[in-house]
Amino acid sequence: MGRKKKKQMKPWCWYCNRDFDDEKILIQHQKAKHFKCHICHKKLYTGPGLAIHCMQVHKETIDSVPNAIPGRTDIELEIYGMEGIPEKDMQERRRTLEQKSQESQKKKNQDDSDDDDDDDEAGPSTQHVAAVQPQPGYVTPMTQPGMPPVAGAPGIPPAGYQGMPPMMPGVPPMMHGMPPAMPGMPPAMMPMGGMMPPMMPGMPAIPPGGCSACWRCVAAPVQNRHLLCFSAQAQQNVPGAAASSTVASSDPPKVTFPAYTQPSVSSSSSTSSSNPSSSTVAKPPATVTSKPATLTTTSATSKLIHPDEDISLEEMKAQLPRYQRLIPRPGQAHAAAPQVAAVGSIMPPQQGLPPQQPGMRHPLHGQYGAPPQGMPGYMPGGMPPYGQGPPMVPPYQGGPPMGMRPPVMSPAGRY
Amino acid sequence: MKEMTGSNEYKLNQGPEDGISAAKFSPSTAQFLLVSSWDCTVRLYDVGGNTMRMKYQHTAPVLDCAFYDPTHCWSGGLDSQLKTHDLNTDQDTIVGAHDAPIRCVEYCPEVNVMVTGSWDKSVRLWDPRTPCNAGTFTQPDKVYTLSVAGDRLIVGTAGRRVLVWDLRNMGYVQQRRESSLKYQTRCIRAFPNKQGYVLSSIEGRVAVEYLDPSQEVQKKKYAFKCHRLKEDGIEHVYPVNAISFHSIHNTFATGGSDGFVNIWDPFNKKRLCQFHRYPTSIASLAFSNDGTMLAIASSYMYEKGDISHPEDAIFIRQVTDAETKPKST
């Protein structure tokens, strides 16, 4: 190259002999070209990592590193970036470089630039690698430059680890392969395990005993739903990398996450309009498919800090008696709380309304145009009809049996 | 008078006496902050002097508030009534109502219209000058959140639906989408540059989405996990309740039920900063118009039911470029 030799010369890939400007770019290249699973396209960190992934996840053995030149296909050699390269190959490389630089500098320059261009993943991915610097204190950092590797580390190349020591004691060694760090990793691994698209309930014995233990315990409770969720998520979480963009582009623009869109949304809306009041019941017909009216996200490894019902936190809080008391009764406005039956004796009529009223109201408002005309202390334009009674009745007649007293009240009288 | 929790942060005095539902800075100055609360009040604070300047009442908890202009604010809540308050005369006016609690109140400067979203599954527009109702528009489900991007309105409803409306032409929905997150939508906020929006869910996850439906732009969308804490070997996943954009840098802050506030750079996909943990869930976040202050409403949101919890409070924090500006690599 004509440059002075660095301590380790310019970073180069042992598997295919290419040169790189930067070790980060080299690593990205290795992950994309040599450590990428041909079945699921997951990028691992090392050759052995890839082998183990294929065995555990796809039950397939691979015996050589993809895209490697002959003689450099050893899948068992633990090479990461420039680390792990056998000394004799290093020396051979140095000799070759010296020869080349002596013979024709210009020619070497050309070759190098060509090589760099080939690595088209270098650009965007590098950013994400560097992006990891501000490390969260969580096990799962915000950006996942590559998909969570089999090894289980929160997917970040060494660059990002400086700030991580408390969380990941075993991380740096982990980068170079699983066995060394496994024992220390299990707790940290668990959430990561949840992100592995296909779980391996029964794993063949593999060197990192701790690893397999984790996977088993994670696999058990994780339901299909979670798998779908995480696999799609894993695809999403490869921002900028070529892989994710291909995944995304294969779907219609609106629906980019197949797993997420399996739910037939139309059914959820129709059912939800008919019985939001039963949202506190375990599993009413209102299914937002993946998340029915109750959320089931507790697994052995993760817990969603949210009430079980799939209604908003504000709706939940509004159901408390001390707020229910303050909510105006039907006629003017409807309380949001679907389930008031148990609550206030003051509120009988209101209970039956929410499910039906919204649907009822709109046409009525249409009749009256824009009822509120800025009159202070006004009653909502819909008042008169409700005061009369007839409009009120239909919901009760056709509505769900609320077991409540008929709307005897005169809403106007409420205020 | 000021309680200093740090030299750059302090707690507001005379805070609401119950949960805080929303905190919004005035559009023209970092000095005034509007706060709506479950104690049925809407309060105006002088942030610099740390005093409460004004307070008015609703008959039930107030779920959202917004400035129309520096001297008029609008608010709505469980009483389903939409009120506007003149901050000069300290006078209320009831503008109108929904058929169920009003969950969101926003202003669209480009079209000069107030927008409300309700659990009655409708979005209503209001002319702020008269003031009066300017239309009712049915949504597929209860409205949980909405945000204005230029002359467009992005509505997030129950059932994970997302609708994009053109506020100048409300005859039809411009875009119908499904949230790319698998869990209930918690908050949507549009980018100041109007290119897209950020959507958060109850499951510790945030998605960055773009409005342009073309495939090449849609490819840029992504999501990431956040507001999750590992405790005793179990990952606790928290709702992400609040999002606020820094008007100048186009970076955004998220606040979760874990009590943390994170600041993110969506273009470089990095987290820029995380503040100290607040006493309880973050219910609302608001950057001031000049991007120098961040109002943080630390208010328990009943994620774990009706239990005792730390005092609800609003913290005002001076933020620096280091915390909010994208780092040029």
Side-chain angles (χ1 to χ4, degrees):
Chain A
M1 254 240 59
R3 283 186 183 218
K4 271 191 269 187
K5 263 183 285 180
K6 300 181 193 175
K7 262 187 270 184
Q8 286 188 18
M9 58 190 121
K10 256 189 120 172
W12 56 282
C13 178
W14 180 83
Y15 294 100
C16 60
N17 268 339
R18 278 193 201 154
D19 260 324
F20 298 90
D21 286 332
D22 193 333
E23 185 157 12
K24 275 190 251 174
I25 303 178
L26 164 63
I27 288 167
Q28 293 297 324
H29 152 82
Q30 287 178 337
K31 283 173 67 176
K33 291 273 175 331
H34 304 301
F35 304 146
K36 183 152 109 172
C37 173
H38 65 288
I39 301 170
C40 67
H41 303 298
K42 185 174 168 68
K43 291 188 210 158
L44 287 311
Y45 281 113
T46 66
L50 174 63
I52 286 164
H53 161 83
C54 285
M55 173 59 72
Q56 289 176 346
V57 170
H58 307 298
K59 307 251 206 306
E60 207 176 279
T61 47
I62 55 172
D63 48 19
S64 64
V65 172
N67 300 311
I69 59 177
R72 297 280 176 88
T73 62
D74 189 347
I75 194 88
E76 280 172 13
L77 251 190
E78 188 93 32
I79 288 176
Y80 182 80
M82 292 289 283
E83 303 187 44
I85 297 178
E87 186 54 38
K88 62 174 172 60
D89 290 323
M90 283 290 260
Q91 287 165 2
E92 201 182 286
R93 176 87 179 168
R94 281 198 203 102
R95 264 179 269 126
T96 322
L97 285 176
E98 274 171 50
Q99 282 172 4
K100 276 198 199 165
S101 66
Q102 282 162 13
E103 285 170 6
S104 49
Q105 285 182 9
K106 284 171 203 167
K107 198 173 169 195
K108 203 164 192 296
N109 282 344
Q110 247 182 5
D111 287 346
D112 282 348
S113 61
D114 285 345
D115 287 346
D116 286 346
D117 288 343
D118 286 345
D119 200 346
D120 57 0
E121 293 213 17
S125 325
T126 318
Q127 278 181 350
H128 302 306
V129 168
V132 179
Q133 304 283 347
Q135 270 308 322
Y138 314 142
V139 175
T140 48
M142 164 244 196
T143 54
Q144 317 253 347
M147 294 192 287
V150 175
I156 299 129
Y161 278 115
Q162 276 68 8
M164 288 279 287
M167 286 305 295
M168 302 283 147
V171 158
M174 279 220 14
M175 301 314 304
H176 309 293
M178 299 189 291
M182 268 308 104
M185 289 308 295
M189 287 244 336
M190 296 202 296
M192 301 313 298
M195 292 188 53
M196 302 282 108
M199 295 311 302
M200 301 293 299
M203 297 215 316
I206 44 170
C211 177
S212 62
C214 290
W215 283 34
R216 231 178 285 124
C217 78
V218 170
V222 173
Q223 305 300 319
N224 275 341
R225 187 182 306 138
H226 291 264
L227 298 182
L228 290 175
C229 169
F230 289 121
S231 68
Q233 185 59 38
Q235 289 174 353
Q236 286 180 54
N237 280 351
V238 188
S244 74
S245 55
T246 3
V247 168
S249 63
S250 63
D251 299 315
K254 252 196 290 186
V255 173
T256 319
F257 310 101
Y260 292 145
T261 60
Q262 278 175 13
S264 60
V265 183
S266 55
S267 64
S268 74
S269 63
S270 56
T271 46
S272 65
S273 63
S274 61
N275 59 346
S277 52
S278 53
S279 62
T280 46
V281 173
K283 281 203 181 185
T287 34
V288 183
T289 54
S290 54
K291 281 308 142 207
T294 52
L295 309 169
T296 39
T297 39
T298 305
S299 69
T301 51
S302 75
K303 183 177 164 188
L304 183 62
I305 310 299
H306 191 278
D308 278 341
E309 296 92 335
D310 194 16
I311 58 174
S312 64
L313 289 170
E314 290 75 16
E315 286 170 288
M316 297 265 357
K317 190 171 171 181
Q319 288 173 10
L320 294 171
R322 61 179 182 276
Y323 301 121
Q324 279 298 302
R325 210 178 301 135
L326 301 169
I327 294 173
R329 287 312 124 216
Q332 298 85 335
H334 297 282
Q339 245 354 327
V340 193
V343 179
S345 47
I346 334 172
M347 317 289 155
Q350 166 260 332
Q351 280 134 7
L353 296 174
Q356 307 302 330
Q357 286 306 13
M360 295 295 297
R361 286 279 185 161
H362 290 147
L364 287 165
H365 271 286
Q367 288 175 27
Y368 297 99
Q373 291 301 329
M375 300 180 297
Y378 85 117
M379 288 309 175
M383 277 306 301
Y386 296 109
Q388 289 157 18
M392 288 297 255
V393 175
Y396 288 97
Q397 289 171 346
M402 299 306 289
M404 288 300 135
R405 311 200 289 264
V408 179
M409 75 303 161
S410 49
R414 282 271 169 186
Y415 271 171
Chain B
M1 178 152 70
K2 282 188 193 180
E3 279 181 42
M4 308 297 265
T5 51
S7 58
N8 59 344
E9 182 179 287
Y10 54 92
K11 184 160 91 166
L12 278 185
N13 294 328
Q14 294 170 279
E17 284 151 32
D18 199 337
I20 296 143
S21 50
K24 305 258 176 92
F25 270 101
S26 164
S28 60
T29 166
Q31 191 187 1
F32 291 110
L33 184 75
L34 195 67
V35 174
S36 56
S37 164
W38 284 78
D39 70 0
C40 309
T41 67
V42 178
R43 299 171 191 233
L44 181 75
Y45 290 92
D46 173 341
V47 157
N50 197 352
T51 59
M52 183 182 80
R53 287 288 193 89
M54 200 175 291
K55 175 173 88 167
Y56 67 94
Q57 299 274 345
H58 276 252
T59 56
V62 190
L63 297 183
D64 202 4
C65 57
F67 277 94
Y68 154 54
D69 66 20
T71 58
H72 295 84
C73 62
W74 290 52
S75 52
L78 295 188
D79 61 5
S80 311
Q81 290 195 326
L82 180 61
K83 275 198 182 188
T84 175
H85 193 90
D86 183 324
L87 300 170
N88 282 331
T89 63
D90 201 2
Q91 294 295 311
D92 270 10
T93 307
I94 298 177
V95 180
H98 273 263
D99 302 325
I102 296 171
R103 176 66 187 89
C104 317
V105 181
E106 292 288 343
Y107 174 54
C108 172
E110 265 187 47
V111 180
N112 193 29
V113 70
M114 297 299 298
V115 184
T116 52
S118 160
W119 293 340
D120 71 359
K121 303 187 192 180
S122 77
V123 160
R124 297 187 190 198
L125 301 191
W126 312 83
D127 175 357
R129 288 163 297 196
T130 352
C132 69
N133 180 267
T136 299
F137 307 95
T138 313
Q139 309 297 308
D141 211 325
K142 297 174 281 191
V143 177
Y144 281 170
T145 177
L146 51 81
S147 183
V148 166
D151 59 1
R152 289 202 270 193
L153 177 70
I154 305 158
V155 181
T157 69
R160 299 165 45 243
R161 313 286 198 95
V162 176
L163 298 104
V164 181
W165 296 81
D166 175 353
L167 285 166
R168 298 187 203 273
N169 183 357
M170 295 289 285
Y172 64 97
V173 185
Q174 197 181 70
Q175 290 182 35
R176 277 176 211 280
R177 302 173 168 219
E178 193 182 35
S179 161
S180 47
L181 302 184
K182 228 180 177 216
Y183 286 75
Q184 184 195 121
T185 303
R186 196 78 189 105
C187 183
I188 289 176
R189 285 291 178 265
F191 275 78
N193 66 16
K194 305 164 198 174
Q195 301 291 306
Y197 58 91
V198 171
L199 184 157
S200 68
S201 76
I202 57 172
E203 187 242 3
R205 219 179 283 254
V206 167
V208 173
E209 305 244 11
Y210 294 90
L211 285 171
D212 182 341
S214 72
Q215 269 216 342
E216 323 103 64
V217 175
Q218 286 304 306
K219 273 196 234 178
K220 298 196 286 177
K221 72 198 243 183
Y222 65 93
F224 58 90
K225 294 186 188 179
C226 49
H227 297 282
R228 297 174 175 218
L229 298 177
K230 185 87 169 302
E231 282 165 27
D232 308 319
I234 303 230
E235 189 185 38
H236 294 257
V237 177
Y238 292 88
V240 184
N241 306 306
I243 299 169
S244 179
F245 270 91
H246 189 286
S247 51
I248 300 162
H249 300 319
N250 276 279
T251 51
F252 62 93
T254 57
S257 294
D258 55 353
F260 280 103
V261 174
N262 294 306
I263 308 215
W264 310 92
D265 172 355
F267 308 104
N268 294 319
K269 296 182 187 164
K270 304 189 212 182
R271 187 175 69 178
L272 292 169
C273 185
Q274 181 183 76
F275 300 150
H276 66 87
R277 194 171 192 177
Y278 288 86
T280 181
S281 314
I282 307 298
S284 184
L285 287 173
F287 273 106
S288 58
N289 67 324
D290 58 7
T292 59
M293 313 282 267
L294 180 64
I296 298 157
S298 163
S299 174
Y300 177 60
M301 303 200 63
Y302 288 69
E303 299 88 345
K304 300 183 184 177
D306 197 5
I307 58 174
S308 71
H309 56 85
E311 191 195 10
D312 302 318
I314 300 153
F315 295 91
I316 304 294
R317 189 183 171 106
Q318 274 175 308
V319 288
T320 62
D321 266 2
E323 293 165 324
T324 60
K325 190 171 177 182
K327 306 207 185 325
S328 45
T329 339

